[in-house]
Amino acid sequence: MSARIRKAIFPVGGLGTRFLPATKAMPKEMLPVVDKPLIQYAVEEAISAGIEHFIFVTGHGKTAIEDHFDTNPHLEILLKKEGKTDLLNFLKNCTLDSGKISYIRQSEPKGLGHAVWCARDLVAGEPFAVLLPDDLFHCKVPCLKQMVDEYPKTAGNLVAVEDVPQDQTSRYGILSIATDDGKLIRVNGMVEKPSIQDAPSCSAIVGRYILSPEIFSELDKQKTGAKGEIQLTDAMAATLDRVPFHGMRFQGKRFDCGNKIGFLMANIEYALDRADISEEFKKALKNLSF
Ligand code: UTP
């Protein structure tokens, strides 16, 4: 029986350069889809997967994230006075209990692998989840919950997988497949951002992971890979000889909100899904001329 997944790392130390100038003074992870910041979608997904401790790897200019998950007494008093209970409840939903949230600083954005390594002492020897907040998953059963449910079958490392078009393999970590039952893939290798020619498949690792703490024995080496960054994919690949590795095709849709088109599409999809605004939004969309 594999261990329960209690802790999740949210790497939010990146610079978000693809969203400049919006991200000059505001964290990319605070960009709203409709009216909720990306990071809050990720935290809510983690809560529904049973996560109890939330570890944020932050960096320069990311304090808005800490404020977002803290109380705001002035705003609460005002909303109470005005009888705006709905809004008050929204505020309460984004407050995480003291002691359940930790922030650790990544002094320089040296890559995703480095960001995860920064949280090694907080994870303290147990399997843990990693959620990249700029990958937004629109799923009936939240993506991390699907993975946690599958994890007792796999143990080791388990990553969310999406089959991507062949000309997009150079944007992702791509799996080399040993066996594939349509949902679970047993992995025997992986390559970070391969060209079409070098890609072993079109099955890409997307932003949800459950990782064995063994990963830190590789990340400790601080080896750089693609783009001169410390890559999580490289560290996972290096533990293949001793840690079982699986990919899971999740049920649902993913929006890459780290890029402009993905972010805009997410806003449209989520707005159309919202009972309070969808009808008005549909009418407004029909009036657009292309
Ligand atoms: P990305 O590579 O998409 O984020 O990392 P980025 O570097 O901020 O974006 P661009 O390319 O400059 O626009 C995915 C996630 O990993 C985090 C990011 O904050 C994002 O949530 N990350 C990335 C870190 O925490 N540290 C890093 O060194 C790199």
Side-chain angles (χ1 to χ4, degrees):
M1 186 70 183
S2 48
R4 204 157 60 86
I5 310 301
R6 300 186 310 124
K7 297 182 180 179
I9 298 177
F10 301 83
V12 293
L15 297 176
T17 52
R18 284 169 290 169
F19 269 94
L20 282 169
T23 48
K24 187 176 172 216
M26 183 184 77
K28 166 173 81 170
E29 299 79 11
M30 287 299 291
L31 287 171
V33 169
V34 186
D35 52 9
K36 200 193 284 185
L38 285 170
I39 186 68
Q40 195 179 331
Y41 286 98
V43 165
E44 287 175 2
E45 181 182 333
I47 291 171
S48 66
I51 297 298
E52 295 164 4
H53 195 112
F54 306 83
I55 302 164
F56 291 77
V57 182
T58 73
H60 180 79
K62 301 281 180 165
T63 45
I65 297 177
E66 296 185 35
D67 290 339
H68 182 75
F69 289 108
D70 202 356
T71 51
N72 184 335
H74 295 302
L75 200 50
E76 281 175 27
I77 290 168
L78 185 86
L79 293 175
K80 224 178 251 170
K81 218 157 83 186
E82 292 180 353
K84 296 186 172 162
T85 38
D86 284 0
L87 293 179
L88 208 52
N89 286 336
F90 285 147
L91 280 200
K92 288 203 173 123
N93 285 345
C94 41
T95 306
L96 290 172
D97 291 343
S98 305
K100 293 199 158 191
I101 183 160
S102 303
Y103 295 95
I104 191 135
R105 225 33 206 208
Q106 185 187 25
S107 52
E108 246 182 278
K110 292 185 184 171
L112 180 58
H114 182 258
V116 170
W117 177 79
C118 289
R120 63 200 178 282
D121 289 343
L122 293 167
V123 164
E126 57 183 280
F128 58 96
V130 177
L131 297 94
L132 307 191
D134 46 5
D135 259 347
L136 180 59
F137 288 79
H138 200 207
C139 305
K140 269 202 191 112
V141 177
C143 182
L144 187 64
K145 169 86 171 91
Q146 295 179 38
M147 294 170 71
V148 163
D149 289 346
E150 212 62 24
Y151 186 67
K153 286 189 209 156
T154 66
N157 292 330
L158 176 65
V159 296
V161 168
E162 182 176 312
D163 294 315
V164 299
Q166 232 188 353
D167 61 355
Q168 288 183 14
T169 54
S170 61
R171 298 185 196 171
Y172 298 92
I174 300 290
L175 301 178
S176 166
I177 296 173
T179 61
D180 183 349
D181 72 5
K183 180 175 185 186
L184 271 184
I185 296 169
R186 197 162 56 77
V187 177
N188 59 13
M190 72 208 80
V191 193
E192 182 62 30
K193 302 187 170 55
S195 60
I196 296 185
Q197 297 77 17
D198 297 334
S201 75
C202 286
S203 295
I205 302 173
V206 289
R208 299 292 181 269
Y209 309 73
I210 296 177
L211 297 176
S212 149
E214 181 62 22
I215 194 87
F216 294 115
S217 65
E218 285 307 317
L219 291 174
D220 280 343
K221 296 177 187 162
Q222 304 277 292
K223 265 197 211 150
T224 53
K227 289 164 67 189
E229 294 183 344
I230 298 170
Q231 298 287 353
L232 189 59
T233 310
D234 295 343
M236 292 188 298
T239 61
L240 268 170
D241 57 348
R242 53 195 189 275
V243 180
F245 196 111
H246 292 82
M248 188 206 78
R249 289 194 183 85
F250 63 95
Q251 292 287 314
K253 212 164 170 181
R254 178 188 67 99
F255 295 93
D256 176 4
C257 292
N259 98 41
K260 293 182 188 75
I261 303 296
F263 175 73
L264 293 169
M265 292 310 292
N267 270 284
I268 293 173
E269 175 113 350
Y270 277 71
L272 289 174
D273 210 35
R274 278 269 298 258
D276 56 338
I277 56 171
S278 68
E279 283 315 310
E280 197 180 337
F281 186 50
K282 269 184 216 160
K283 275 187 211 146
L285 282 179
K286 278 185 192 143
N287 286 334
L288 282 181
S289 45
F290 290 94

